[in-house]
Amino acid sequence: MTSTAATSTTTSTAPVTATPEDRALKQKHAAMWAFGDYVAVADELVGSLGEALVAAVGVRDDQRVLDVAAGSGAAALPAARTGADVVATDLTPELVEVGRRRSQAEGLTIDWRTADAEALPFADAEHDVVLSCIGVMFAPHHQLAADELVRVLAPGGRLGVLSWTPAGFIGQMFAAMKPFAPAPPPGASPAPLWGDLDHVRGLLGGRVERLEAQQATLRVDHFASGAEFRDYFKANYGPTIAVYRSLAEQPERAAELDAALADLGDRHLTDGVMEWEYLLVTAHRA
């Protein structure tokens, strides 16, 4: 659908999960993605992935589209440019506000909401298309998040999820940080598992059909060295910042992580270019 009047609204709903521990975890996650400058990461490194996801799903102007864990709008904005009726949600209010301002600046009508991917504030089958671009993968309880993606999708509607793979560069970065990070809470799953096709098939089960998947890489030519990559992520990327903050009283361990991340970056640089692997999955709700 198209609109002649550009408007943008923001609605907040508190994350709703089963236990106080889960609610505390969601508050921690929301704060983590406000560390540093994720908007810079999206703009300078990964923003094109949203356009790739919207194109793969084939968003049209007559569709009701939901972008889950939308960040600052990498997928929501190109979806809205098609004329579709778009709602975008994210757990982090600061990112929602950036996305709201950007859609207004472009004259796009997007309904921005602060919401938990594991407890979406929508009725069953409310959307024709549900998207998530390197977003829902970071919800800690994968099955809950997958259940919500399917629940709010209309029968025959199209689902599109793009995630970093475990074996790709970002998956390896998380593996490198894991020994230095606090232990995850019980029941939380590693984010890059959303980039494993068998895992995604298991999450969605028989509730979807015509599932298709493609592995591809994002070309990143932003860094001249592994140390430059490390320093950029230390300054801008919430999960990396959170790990370093946990090592504030352990300078020797922080130095070990410095070396590990710089080495990882150097091993993946070829003539100033990195290739970051991702998995793009599309399916229709049965």
Side-chain angles (χ1 to χ4, degrees):
M1 293 183 291
T2 59
S3 174
T4 56
T7 61
S8 187
T9 61
T10 303
T11 303
S12 295
T13 57
V16 178
T17 49
T19 67
E21 291 78 12
D22 279 348
R23 288 191 288 275
L25 175 62
K26 298 302 176 58
Q27 291 170 354
K28 181 178 179 180
H29 274 214
M32 177 184 73
W33 288 105
F35 293 163
D37 189 355
Y38 183 73
V39 176
V41 177
D43 289 350
E44 297 169 1
L45 303 180
V46 302
S48 64
L49 294 178
E51 295 179 355
L53 178 60
V54 169
V57 171
V59 174
R60 303 191 311 267
D61 63 1
D62 60 345
Q63 293 176 320
R64 301 164 298 168
V65 177
L66 172 64
D67 185 10
V68 178
S72 55
L77 292 169
R81 291 181 196 125
T82 71
D85 183 358
V86 178
V87 180
T89 71
D90 199 88
L91 189 65
T92 300
E94 291 86 346
L95 294 179
V96 167
E97 179 59 23
V98 172
R100 184 188 66 80
R101 292 198 305 266
R102 289 188 164 185
S103 57
Q104 286 183 328
E106 276 199 51
L108 298 171
T109 300
I110 299 178
D111 180 3
W112 283 92
R113 307 192 189 190
T114 304
D116 182 355
E118 297 179 4
L120 293 169
F122 305 108
D124 295 355
E126 190 170 336
H127 302 279
D128 303 309
V129 175
V130 175
L131 305 172
S132 189
C133 182
I134 54 172
V136 76
M137 64 181 291
F138 293 103
H141 307 107
H142 291 189
Q143 192 62 65
L144 284 178
D147 291 349
E148 285 293 272
L149 296 181
V150 175
R151 180 185 66 80
V152 301
L153 183 61
R158 194 131 196 230
L159 174 67
V161 180
L162 189 153
S163 309
W164 302 121
T165 66
F169 178 76
I170 297 297
Q172 290 185 40
M173 182 192 74
F174 277 98
M177 293 193 301
K178 183 178 179 180
F180 300 91
S189 297
L193 279 179
W194 270 96
D196 178 274
L197 181 55
D198 288 339
H199 182 69
V200 177
R201 287 187 189 277
L203 294 174
L204 299 175
R207 299 172 296 177
V208 301
E209 57 190 12
R210 289 177 280 167
L211 189 151
E212 298 178 358
Q214 58 175 313
Q215 258 185 12
T217 59
L218 174 70
R219 186 180 189 273
V220 177
D221 59 2
H222 196 78
F223 307 111
S225 68
E228 187 177 337
F229 147 74
R230 175 203 64 210
D231 292 344
Y232 182 94
F233 269 61
K234 284 178 69 174
N236 295 301
Y237 192 62
T240 305
I241 295 169
V243 174
Y244 274 98
R245 288 188 179 187
S246 75
L247 300 174
E249 305 300 323
Q250 303 176 66
E252 298 87 356
R253 293 285 285 160
E256 290 177 28
L257 180 55
D258 275 347
L261 291 179
D263 177 66
L264 176 69
D266 284 333
R267 286 188 282 110
H268 283 265
L269 269 168
T270 303
D271 297 328
V273 175
M274 292 176 165
E275 299 286 346
W276 295 3
E277 186 180 73
Y278 61 87
L279 179 73
L280 197 163
V281 174
T282 62
H284 291 77
R285 182 171 177 182

